[in-house]
Amino acid sequence: MTRHTILTTVHNRPGALSRTMTQLDNAGVAFATLAVGRTAALDALRMTLAVDAGAASRVVQQLGEMVDVIEAIDMSAAMRLERRPGAAFHGDFREQADGAPHEVAA
């Protein structure tokens, strides 16, 4: 199954990450992968989630409604590169969560 990568920025304050994860768990979100780390600003955490493509828009919407979440973006949908006239390279350079190249329907 195709997976989407969701980048989420969460406030770095006591309990914020725990509340966010609990809300996602209560909503029945299943992750293929999850990584969390500090951002350069140190007042925010970056969560990178891989979820099934069918659930990605629902997960982004749910994250957007959470108080502790600053931003949530479905990178698999946002990073599509379009063909430009005269460009040497074009296409879609996304990768799936498992590292396999993303296949684009012609």
Side-chain angles (χ1 to χ4, degrees), residues 76-95:
S76 299
M79 291 185 64
R80 172 165 280 158
L81 302 176
E82 300 296 331
R83 180 185 297 232
R84 295 184 314 201
F89 298 101
H90 62 274
D92 190 325
F93 296 96
R94 292 180 288 165
E95 291 184 353

mmCIF file of all heavy atoms in Angstrom, residues 76-95:
data_model
loop_
_atom_site.group_PDB
_atom_site.id
_atom_site.type_symbol
_atom_site.label_atom_id
_atom_site.label_comp_id
_atom_site.label_asym_id
_atom_site.label_seq_id
_atom_site.Cartn_x
_atom_site.Cartn_y
_atom_site.Cartn_z
ATOM 1 N N SER A 76 3.897 14.175 0.771
ATOM 2 C CA SER A 76 3.744 13.339 -0.411
ATOM 3 C C SER A 76 2.836 14.007 -1.432
ATOM 4 O O SER A 76 2.993 13.812 -2.621
ATOM 5 C CB SER A 76 3.184 11.975 -0.025
ATOM 6 O OG SER A 76 4.074 11.328 0.844
ATOM 7 N N ALA A 77 1.906 14.812 -0.975
ATOM 8 C CA ALA A 77 1.016 15.539 -1.883
ATOM 9 C C ALA A 77 1.580 16.909 -2.218
ATOM 10 O O ALA A 77 1.350 17.428 -3.298
ATOM 11 C CB ALA A 77 -0.362 15.682 -1.247
ATOM 12 N N ALA A 78 2.344 17.518 -1.320
ATOM 13 C CA ALA A 78 2.813 18.895 -1.493
ATOM 14 C C ALA A 78 4.045 19.019 -2.359
ATOM 15 O O ALA A 78 4.284 20.074 -2.923
ATOM 16 C CB ALA A 78 3.104 19.511 -0.125
ATOM 17 N N MET A 79 4.847 17.975 -2.488
ATOM 18 C CA MET A 79 6.131 18.104 -3.152
ATOM 19 C C MET A 79 6.133 17.652 -4.609
ATOM 20 O O MET A 79 7.165 17.383 -5.178
ATOM 21 C CB MET A 79 7.200 17.350 -2.378
ATOM 22 C CG MET A 79 7.501 18.001 -1.065
ATOM 23 S SD MET A 79 8.841 17.225 -0.177
ATOM 24 C CE MET A 79 10.208 17.496 -1.255
ATOM 25 N N ARG A 80 4.995 17.574 -5.222
ATOM 26 C CA ARG A 80 4.964 17.164 -6.627
ATOM 27 C C ARG A 80 5.603 18.243 -7.489
ATOM 28 O O ARG A 80 5.248 19.403 -7.416
ATOM 29 C CB ARG A 80 3.531 16.912 -7.061
ATOM 30 C CG ARG A 80 3.432 16.684 -8.571
ATOM 31 C CD ARG A 80 2.131 16.103 -8.963
ATOM 32 N NE ARG A 80 2.228 14.678 -8.685
ATOM 33 C CZ ARG A 80 1.186 13.891 -8.508
ATOM 34 N NH1 ARG A 80 -0.003 14.363 -8.563
ATOM 35 N NH2 ARG A 80 1.365 12.615 -8.274
ATOM 36 N N LEU A 81 6.562 17.864 -8.301
ATOM 37 C CA LEU A 81 7.230 18.788 -9.206
ATOM 38 C C LEU A 81 6.551 18.710 -10.564
ATOM 39 O O LEU A 81 6.308 17.629 -11.073
ATOM 40 C CB LEU A 81 8.708 18.432 -9.338
ATOM 41 C CG LEU A 81 9.495 18.433 -8.038
ATOM 42 C CD1 LEU A 81 10.920 17.963 -8.303
ATOM 43 C CD2 LEU A 81 9.500 19.811 -7.425
ATOM 44 N N GLU A 82 6.262 19.849 -11.142
ATOM 45 C CA GLU A 82 5.567 19.885 -12.417
ATOM 46 C C GLU A 82 6.548 20.061 -13.566
ATOM 47 O O GLU A 82 7.609 20.648 -13.405
ATOM 48 C CB GLU A 82 4.549 21.035 -12.423
ATOM 49 C CG GLU A 82 3.493 20.922 -11.338
ATOM 50 C CD GLU A 82 2.613 19.702 -11.493
ATOM 51 O OE1 GLU A 82 2.404 19.239 -12.635
ATOM 52 O OE2 GLU A 82 2.139 19.194 -10.465
ATOM 53 N N ARG A 83 6.173 19.596 -14.723
ATOM 54 C CA ARG A 83 6.994 19.752 -15.926
ATOM 55 C C ARG A 83 6.999 21.220 -16.332
ATOM 56 O O ARG A 83 5.977 21.876 -16.358
ATOM 57 C CB ARG A 83 6.424 18.927 -17.061
ATOM 58 C CG ARG A 83 7.241 19.056 -18.349
ATOM 59 C CD ARG A 83 6.582 18.317 -19.463
ATOM 60 N NE ARG A 83 6.530 16.907 -19.151
ATOM 61 C CZ ARG A 83 6.967 15.958 -19.958
ATOM 62 N NH1 ARG A 83 7.458 16.258 -21.122
ATOM 63 N NH2 ARG A 83 6.890 14.700 -19.604
ATOM 64 N N ARG A 84 8.193 21.722 -16.615
ATOM 65 C CA ARG A 84 8.339 23.094 -17.091
ATOM 66 C C ARG A 84 8.883 23.053 -18.508
ATOM 67 O O ARG A 84 9.806 22.285 -18.797
ATOM 68 C CB ARG A 84 9.299 23.876 -16.198
ATOM 69 C CG ARG A 84 8.784 24.052 -14.791
ATOM 70 C CD ARG A 84 9.712 24.891 -13.998
ATOM 71 N NE ARG A 84 11.097 24.452 -14.202
ATOM 72 C CZ ARG A 84 12.092 24.711 -13.381
ATOM 73 N NH1 ARG A 84 11.882 25.411 -12.307
ATOM 74 N NH2 ARG A 84 13.318 24.289 -13.629
ATOM 75 N N PRO A 85 8.340 23.868 -19.382
ATOM 76 C CA PRO A 85 8.847 23.885 -20.755
ATOM 77 C C PRO A 85 10.345 24.219 -20.764
ATOM 78 O O PRO A 85 10.786 25.139 -20.091
ATOM 79 C CB PRO A 85 8.038 24.997 -21.425
ATOM 80 C CG PRO A 85 6.826 25.154 -20.574
ATOM 81 C CD PRO A 85 7.233 24.772 -19.184
ATOM 82 N N GLY A 86 11.114 23.458 -21.504
ATOM 83 C CA GLY A 86 12.538 23.718 -21.647
ATOM 84 C C GLY A 86 13.393 23.222 -20.497
ATOM 85 O O GLY A 86 14.612 23.373 -20.514
ATOM 86 N N ALA A 87 12.806 22.626 -19.476
ATOM 87 C CA ALA A 87 13.583 22.149 -18.330
ATOM 88 C C ALA A 87 14.265 20.832 -18.677
ATOM 89 O O ALA A 87 13.700 19.987 -19.360
ATOM 90 C CB ALA A 87 12.683 21.963 -17.114
ATOM 91 N N ALA A 88 15.503 20.685 -18.220
ATOM 92 C CA ALA A 88 16.247 19.456 -18.488
ATOM 93 C C ALA A 88 15.696 18.298 -17.661
ATOM 94 O O ALA A 88 15.674 17.166 -18.111
ATOM 95 C CB ALA A 88 17.725 19.670 -18.184
ATOM 96 N N PHE A 89 15.285 18.563 -16.435
ATOM 97 C CA PHE A 89 14.746 17.539 -15.558
ATOM 98 C C PHE A 89 13.331 17.928 -15.160
ATOM 99 O O PHE A 89 13.038 19.089 -14.928
ATOM 100 C CB PHE A 89 15.600 17.394 -14.289
ATOM 101 C CG PHE A 89 16.993 16.960 -14.588
ATOM 102 C CD1 PHE A 89 18.025 17.873 -14.601
ATOM 103 C CD2 PHE A 89 17.278 15.638 -14.856
ATOM 104 C CE1 PHE A 89 19.316 17.484 -14.874
ATOM 105 C CE2 PHE A 89 18.560 15.234 -15.134
ATOM 106 C CZ PHE A 89 19.588 16.155 -15.151
ATOM 107 N N HIS A 90 12.495 16.935 -15.081
ATOM 108 C CA HIS A 90 11.129 17.179 -14.655
ATOM 109 C C HIS A 90 10.589 15.895 -14.041
ATOM 110 O O HIS A 90 11.223 14.859 -14.089
ATOM 111 C CB HIS A 90 10.259 17.616 -15.835
ATOM 112 C CG HIS A 90 10.166 16.562 -16.886
ATOM 113 N ND1 HIS A 90 11.104 16.450 -17.881
ATOM 114 C CD2 HIS A 90 9.284 15.547 -17.080
ATOM 115 C CE1 HIS A 90 10.793 15.423 -18.664
ATOM 116 N NE2 HIS A 90 9.700 14.863 -18.192
ATOM 117 N N GLY A 91 9.400 16.007 -13.477
ATOM 118 C CA GLY A 91 8.767 14.814 -12.947
ATOM 119 C C GLY A 91 8.561 14.887 -11.456
ATOM 120 O O GLY A 91 8.584 15.959 -10.870
ATOM 121 N N ASP A 92 8.382 13.742 -10.906
ATOM 122 C CA ASP A 92 8.038 13.631 -9.499
ATOM 123 C C ASP A 92 9.152 12.850 -8.812
ATOM 124 O O ASP A 92 9.370 11.688 -9.096
ATOM 125 C CB ASP A 92 6.706 12.904 -9.371
ATOM 126 C CG ASP A 92 6.155 12.962 -7.984
ATOM 127 O OD1 ASP A 92 6.946 12.933 -7.036
ATOM 128 O OD2 ASP A 92 4.932 13.023 -7.836
ATOM 129 N N PHE A 93 9.886 13.505 -7.915
ATOM 130 C CA PHE A 93 11.043 12.887 -7.276
ATOM 131 C C PHE A 93 10.749 12.403 -5.861
ATOM 132 O O PHE A 93 11.640 12.158 -5.085
ATOM 133 C CB PHE A 93 12.211 13.876 -7.252
ATOM 134 C CG PHE A 93 12.669 14.227 -8.631
ATOM 135 C CD1 PHE A 93 12.201 15.361 -9.245
ATOM 136 C CD2 PHE A 93 13.524 13.401 -9.320
ATOM 137 C CE1 PHE A 93 12.598 15.697 -10.527
ATOM 138 C CE2 PHE A 93 13.934 13.713 -10.595
ATOM 139 C CZ PHE A 93 13.464 14.867 -11.204
ATOM 140 N N ARG A 94 9.479 12.291 -5.515
ATOM 141 C CA ARG A 94 9.116 11.827 -4.179
ATOM 142 C C ARG A 94 9.529 10.381 -3.975
ATOM 143 O O ARG A 94 9.662 9.617 -4.916
ATOM 144 C CB ARG A 94 7.606 11.909 -3.970
ATOM 145 C CG ARG A 94 7.090 13.319 -3.924
ATOM 146 C CD ARG A 94 5.614 13.317 -3.727
ATOM 147 N NE ARG A 94 4.990 12.859 -4.973
ATOM 148 C CZ ARG A 94 3.730 12.474 -5.061
ATOM 149 N NH1 ARG A 94 2.962 12.467 -4.024
ATOM 150 N NH2 ARG A 94 3.238 12.087 -6.214
ATOM 151 N N GLU A 95 9.687 10.033 -2.730
ATOM 152 C CA GLU A 95 9.899 8.638 -2.357
ATOM 153 C C GLU A 95 8.799 8.244 -1.398
ATOM 154 O O GLU A 95 8.256 9.061 -0.672
ATOM 155 C CB GLU A 95 11.239 8.455 -1.662
ATOM 156 C CG GLU A 95 12.415 8.635 -2.574
ATOM 157 C CD GLU A 95 13.726 8.356 -1.857
ATOM 158 O OE1 GLU A 95 13.697 8.161 -0.636
ATOM 159 O OE2 GLU A 95 14.749 8.317 -2.527
#
